[in-house]
Amino acid sequence: MSKEGSHRDIRKQIEDLSQDLRRHEYLYYVLNAPEISDEEFDRRMRELETLEKKNPELIALDSPTQRVGGQPTKEFASVRHPVPMLSLANVYSEEEFLEFDRRVKEGLGGSHYRYICELKYDGIAVSLLYQNSRFTQGATRGDGQTGDDITANLKTIRSLPLKINISPPASDFYMRGEVYMDKAAFESLNDRRALEGNPLFANPRNATGGTLKNLDPRIAASRPLKLVSYGLWFPGIETQGWSQSKSLTWLEEAGFPVSREWQTANEAQEAIQFWRDRGTHRAELPYEIDGTVIKVDDFTQQERLGYTAKSPRWATAFKFKAQRVRTKLVGITLQVGRTGAVTPVAELEPVSLAGSHIRRATLHNEDEIQRLDLRLGDTIYLEKGGDVIPKIIAVDESVRPSDSKPFIMPDFCPACGGSLLRSAGEVIRRCVNLSCPAQIQGNLAHFASRGAMDIESLGWKLIEQLVAEGLVKDPGDLYTLSIDQVATLERKGEKSAHKLLEALGKSRNQPLERLIFALGIRHVGAGAARVLARHFKSLDTLQAATIEELQTIHDIGSVMAQSIHQYFQAPANLEIIEKLRRAGVRFEAENKPDNELPLAGKSFVLTGTLDNFTREQAADSIRALGGNVTGSVSSKTDYVVAGPGAGSKLDRARSLGITVLDEPAFKKLIEI
Ligand code: IVH
């Protein structure tokens, strides 16, 4: 075959393979109905990567290998929207909605119209440009006229079609929609951030916004962003017989993720009923909505109604009332985390809100206090939307005591008196004193926690005592404790001292991944620790790794690589490691190739409680046999292990036809 001919064959092979992978991404991420296993998908992806590596000139922009590409940029380019991205006017009650309906009726001069009712997703609005069926550019709303070019970040969202396979209505078209994060995914993201000592996101919307605005697309790739589509636009769409319902149907056919939760309404009353129903069931949705959006369906009628300066006259956001109460701010306390981060917390006169009793609310950082102009003794409004954490949203200044003074963040650590430092670009202050008792206690608590070394009898109270008595300064010191030392602590007898030493003894043998996680290296969560343990197989090889070497590992980004390297440079940390070594803590991984283990490639979800295992123990057993454990049930899950108290995960497993194991069946499986 001529050289030319074989090159053409390779091009065809690459195109076919890309097409095939895009289809399977769609089946998996949009329809939630995969046809091939993860392994098979990965195998095909690797095949494409290899072909592309050998023929880099054939790499297409819409190749599935290019979702996470490129290096961080310095800033986002600006993108001008072809039609402004407007916001919606809000109504909050049936009366206000009927007012809106009256204006629509009047505007349309008596002709018949119908509404389309949709959910109002609480995320970040984006606009995606498709040219010749391919995704070429994506932008944020910005000021409505121009937004930021966040194409690289958007490409990492696997449900976003890189190419559409049905004929487009115009060579260039725009899809508008919302990027958001599921509530559960947001919670686990924050849990992980707490363990890694990073500041928490206030809600899924902020987490989504922060992620989309990050200049490094690898961050977006690592976060569980989702996309939902609610708009189609191309030049001339207004006059070609299109409607909103036709757009949604077309978008769905074209492979875009479209929610099924929409319906048309011939009467205002039906739209009101939709708003009522969705309001009642909003907490059951896996994502957050803050209302419904009611639009006139027909595009010709939309044009007739037109726009005000800010928003269309043919649509309104029909918002849910946030649950809100008033109470008093009685104090602001400061919490010092294990990384020294100082978080202000509002102490409130207890109130009940959306079914829970609330006495505290996080204020995140001092900028938030300033933004609210919060003062001690203020009467504040507290809100809770969906099932999010309660948030202080405003101050009632009309009843503010006349002598109140603004809250000033101290320059000194409330725990040790050391200086607090706020680095440029950061919103939090950190205590820089490494021997700050709050940090020492935080580090010890993390070391002993269930996901780390799991030292059961080492609770917060005992840690406090050990640190106060000067018996322990770092995790290495724990292993030198004697029965006598512990037994003489207040209210500790010999029996509990024995128990602690026994637990410490057991912890010496924890798997390497737990030790790595327990060290509390910034940015290294349990997942990354597992990757590191598998790769390096011993703490000493990890310690010797260069930044470059660390960065070549899949899932380890540059920030983490630097943080790991830095950790092993600090003399205080090396001292801890030597103490742990002397104490006989296991530094080596068990040596078995993962793919030969009996549960290799199998994905598990645990739900409910088991009699003979804690969640951690069950997960450890699965991982030790090569399986992996995830938090949510999808069609990729192989087994759901369910004990009493299992909830929605079990229902979901059943509806997807996934094998459900009870405790005896699970025990049998792991005894293989
Ligand atoms: S339509 C001109 N539909 O709400 C109207 N918006 O203030 C364009 N949103 O910025 C928006 N769900 O981020 C529309 N089903 C939905 C929506 C929705 C959420 C957001 C969107 C927009 C804001 C309107």
Side-chain angles (χ1 to χ4, degrees), residues 12 25 102 104 143 212 238 263 279 300 310 414 478 552 560 573 653:
K12 171 107 178 56
E25 279 186 327
R102 200 185 45 70
V104 168
D143 62 5
L212 287 179
E238 301 85 357
Q263 70 185 49
T300 328
K310 279 189 293 191
L478 289 170
T552 56
M560 211 196 289
N573 294 335

Side-chain angles (χ1 to χ4, degrees), residues 86-88 118-121 125 141 178 230 293 295 312:
L86 299 174
S87 60
L88 294 166
E118 299 172 13
L119 301 184
K120 187 168 188 303
Y121 304 91
R141 176 168 178 269
E178 198 89 350
Y230 56 67
V293 180
K295 307 171 179 172

Side-chain angles (χ1 to χ4, degrees), residues 152-154 156-157 211-212 214 216-225:
N153 284 341
L154 287 170
T156 66
I157 304 176
T211 306
L212 287 179
N214 199 298
D216 185 351
R218 284 169 297 194
I219 300 289
S222 74
R223 303 243 177 101
L225 295 180

